[in-house]
Coordinates of all heavy atoms in Angstrom, one line a residue:
P1 N 19.9 34.2 47.7 CA 18.6 34.6 47.5 C 17.5 33.7 48.0 O 16.5 34.1 48.5 CB 18.5 34.8 45.9 CG 19.9 35.0 45.5 CD 20.7 34.1 46.5
V2 N 17.7 32.4 47.8 CA 16.7 31.4 48.3 C 16.6 31.4 49.8 O 15.6 31.3 50.4 CB 17.0 30.0 47.8 CG1 16.0 29.0 48.4 CG2 16.9 30.0 46.3
L3 N 17.8 31.5 50.5 CA 17.8 31.6 51.9 C 17.1 32.8 52.4 O 16.4 32.8 53.5 CB 19.2 31.5 52.4 CG 20.0 30.3 52.2 CD1 21.5 30.4 52.7 CD2 19.3 29.1 52.9
F4 N 17.2 33.9 51.7 CA 16.5 35.1 52.2 C 15.0 34.9 52.1 O 14.2 35.4 53.0 CB 16.9 36.3 51.3 CG 16.1 37.6 51.6 CD1 16.4 38.3 52.7 CD2 15.0 37.9 50.8 CE1 15.7 39.5 53.0 CE2 14.2 39.0 51.2 CZ 14.6 39.8 52.3
T5 N 14.5 34.3 51.0 CA 13.0 34.1 50.9 C 12.5 33.2 52.0 O 11.4 33.4 52.5 CB 12.7 33.5 49.5 OG1 13.3 32.2 49.4 CG2 13.1 34.3 48.4
L6 N 13.3 32.2 52.4 CA 12.9 31.4 53.6 C 12.9 32.1 54.9 O 12.1 32.0 55.7 CB 13.8 30.1 53.7 CG 13.9 29.2 52.4 CD1 14.8 28.0 52.7 CD2 12.5 28.7 52.0
Y7 N 13.9 33.0 55.0 CA 14.1 33.8 56.2 C 12.9 34.8 56.4 O 12.5 35.0 57.5 CB 15.4 34.6 56.1 CG 15.7 35.5 57.2 CD1 16.2 35.1 58.4 CD2 15.5 36.9 57.1 CE1 16.5 35.9 59.5 CE2 15.8 37.8 58.1 CZ 16.3 37.3 59.3 OH 16.6 38.2 60.3
S8 N 12.4 35.3 55.3 CA 11.4 36.3 55.3 C 10.0 35.7 55.3 O 9.0 36.5 55.2 CB 11.5 37.3 54.2 OG 11.4 36.7 52.9
Q9 N 9.8 34.4 55.3 CA 8.5 33.8 55.3 C 7.5 34.3 56.3 O 6.3 34.5 56.0 CB 8.7 32.3 55.4 CG 7.4 31.5 55.1 CD 6.5 31.3 56.4 OE1 7.1 31.4 57.5 NE2 5.2 31.1 56.2
P10 N 7.9 34.5 57.6 CA 7.0 35.0 58.6 C 6.3 36.3 58.2 O 5.2 36.6 58.8 CB 7.8 35.2 59.9 CG 9.0 34.2 59.7 CD 9.2 34.2 58.2
L11 N 6.8 37.1 57.3 CA 6.2 38.3 56.9 C 4.8 38.0 56.3 O 3.8 38.7 56.5 CB 7.1 39.0 55.9 CG 6.5 40.3 55.3 CD1 6.2 41.4 56.4 CD2 7.4 40.9 54.2
S12 N 4.7 36.9 55.6 CA 3.5 36.5 55.0 C 2.4 36.1 56.0 O 1.2 36.5 55.9 CB 3.7 35.3 54.0 OG 4.5 35.6 53.0
D13 N 2.9 35.5 57.1 CA 2.0 35.2 58.2 C 1.4 36.5 58.8 O 0.2 36.5 59.2 CB 2.7 34.3 59.3 CG 3.2 33.0 58.7 OD1 2.5 32.5 57.7 OD2 4.1 32.5 59.2
V14 N 2.3 37.4 59.0 CA 1.8 38.7 59.6 C 0.8 39.4 58.7 O -0.3 39.9 59.2 CB 3.0 39.6 59.9 CG1 2.5 41.0 60.4 CG2 4.0 39.0 60.9
I15 N 1.1 39.4 57.4 CA 0.2 40.1 56.5 C -1.2 39.3 56.5 O -2.3 40.0 56.5 CB 0.8 40.1 55.1 CG1 2.0 41.0 55.1 CG2 -0.2 40.6 54.1 CD1 2.8 40.9 53.8
S16 N -1.2 38.0 56.4 CA -2.4 37.2 56.4 C -3.2 37.4 57.7 O -4.5 37.5 57.6 CB -2.1 35.7 56.2 OG -1.4 35.5 55.0
D17 N -2.6 37.6 58.8 CA -3.3 37.8 60.0 C -4.1 39.1 60.0 O -5.0 39.3 60.8 CB -2.3 37.9 61.2 CG -1.8 36.5 61.5 OD1 -2.4 35.5 61.1 OD2 -0.7 36.4 62.2
H18 N -3.7 40.1 59.1 CA -4.4 41.4 59.0 C -5.3 41.4 57.8 O -5.7 42.4 57.4 CB -3.4 42.5 58.9 CG -2.6 42.7 60.2 ND1 -1.6 42.0 60.7 CD2 -2.8 43.7 61.2 CE1 -1.2 42.4 61.8 NE2 -1.9 43.5 62.2
D19 N -5.6 40.2 57.3 CA -6.6 40.0 56.2 C -6.3 40.9 55.0 O -7.2 41.6 54.5 CB -8.0 40.4 56.8 CG -9.1 39.9 55.9 OD1 -8.9 39.0 55.2 OD2 -10.2 40.6 55.9
C20 N -5.1 40.8 54.6 CA -4.7 41.5 53.3 C -4.2 40.5 52.3 O -3.5 39.5 52.7 CB -3.5 42.5 53.6 SG -4.0 44.0 54.4
D21 N -4.4 40.8 51.1 CA -3.9 40.0 50.0 C -2.4 40.5 49.8 O -2.1 41.6 50.0 CB -4.7 40.1 48.7 CG -6.1 39.5 48.8 OD1 -6.2 38.5 49.6 OD2 -7.0 40.0 48.2
H22 N -1.6 39.6 49.3 CA -0.2 40.0 49.1 C 0.5 39.1 48.1 O 0.1 38.0 47.9 CB 0.6 40.1 50.4 CG 0.9 38.7 50.9 ND1 0.0 37.9 51.6 CD2 2.1 38.0 50.9 CE1 0.6 36.8 51.9 NE2 1.9 36.8 51.5
H23 N 1.6 39.6 47.6 CA 2.4 38.8 46.7 C 3.9 39.3 46.9 O 4.1 40.5 46.9 CB 2.0 38.8 45.2 CG 2.5 37.6 44.5 ND1 1.8 36.5 44.3 CD2 3.7 37.4 43.9 CE1 2.5 35.6 43.6 NE2 3.7 36.1 43.3
K24 N 4.8 38.3 47.0 CA 6.2 38.7 47.2 C 7.1 38.3 46.1 O 6.9 37.3 45.4 CB 6.7 38.0 48.5 CG 6.0 38.4 49.8 CD 6.1 37.4 50.9 CE 7.6 37.3 51.4 NZ 7.7 36.4 52.5
Y25 N 8.1 39.1 45.8 CA 9.1 38.8 44.9 C 10.4 39.3 45.4 O 10.7 40.5 45.5 CB 8.9 39.5 43.5 CG 9.8 39.0 42.4 CD1 9.5 37.9 41.6 CD2 11.1 39.5 42.3 CE1 10.3 37.4 40.7 CE2 12.0 39.0 41.3 CZ 11.6 38.0 40.5 OH 12.5 37.5 39.6
A26 N 11.2 38.3 45.9 CA 12.5 38.6 46.6 C 12.2 39.5 47.8 O 11.4 39.1 48.7 CB 13.5 39.2 45.6
D27 N 12.8 40.7 47.8 CA 12.6 41.6 48.9 C 11.5 42.7 48.7 O 11.4 43.6 49.4 CB 13.9 42.3 49.3 CG 14.5 43.1 48.1 OD1 14.1 42.8 46.9 OD2 15.4 43.9 48.3
N28 N 10.7 42.4 47.6 CA 9.6 43.3 47.3 C 8.3 42.6 47.6 O 8.1 41.5 47.3 CB 9.6 43.7 45.8 CG 10.9 44.4 45.4 OD1 11.0 45.6 45.7 ND2 11.8 43.8 44.7
T29 N 7.4 43.4 48.3 CA 6.1 42.8 48.7 C 5.0 43.8 48.3 O 5.1 45.0 48.5 CB 6.1 42.6 50.2 OG1 7.2 41.8 50.6 CG2 4.8 42.0 50.6
E30 N 4.0 43.2 47.7 CA 2.8 44.0 47.3 C 1.6 43.6 48.2 O 1.3 42.4 48.4 CB 2.4 43.7 45.8 CG 1.1 44.3 45.4 CD -0.1 43.5 45.6 OE1 0.1 42.2 45.8 OE2 -1.2 44.0 45.6
L31 N 1.1 44.6 48.9 CA -0.1 44.5 49.7 C -1.3 45.1 49.0 O -1.2 46.1 48.4 CB 0.1 45.2 51.0 CG 1.3 44.9 51.9 CD1 1.3 45.7 53.1 CD2 1.4 43.4 52.2
S32 N -2.5 44.4 49.1 CA -3.7 44.9 48.4 C -4.9 44.6 49.3 O -4.9 43.6 49.9 CB -3.8 44.4 47.0 OG -4.0 42.9 47.0
K33 N -5.8 45.5 49.3 CA -7.0 45.4 50.0 C -8.2 45.9 49.2 O -8.2 47.0 48.8 CB -6.9 46.1 51.4 CG -8.2 46.0 52.3 CD -8.2 44.6 52.9 CE -9.3 44.5 53.9 NZ -9.5 43.2 54.6
G34 N -9.2 45.0 48.9 CA -10.3 45.4 48.1 C -11.5 45.7 48.9 O -11.7 45.1 50.0

């Protein structure tokens, strides 16, 4: 599980580049835009 979270880290970079807030829990990701 820890290796997967490290593997999926670039997903956060992609989301941040599109100016979205997000939070991740394992393989679940929440995107929000206000």
Side-chain angles (χ1 to χ4, degrees):
V2 176
L3 292 178
F4 175 81
T5 61
L6 301 181
Y7 178 79
S8 62
Q9 188 275 335
L11 178 60
S12 296
D13 297 334
V14 174
I15 296 172
S16 298
D17 288 342
H18 288 78
D19 196 27
C20 283
D21 294 326
H22 72 284
H23 201 93
K24 296 162 64 179
Y25 189 91
D27 57 345
N28 298 284
T29 304
E30 175 271 339
L31 307 178
S32 60
K33 182 73 173 179

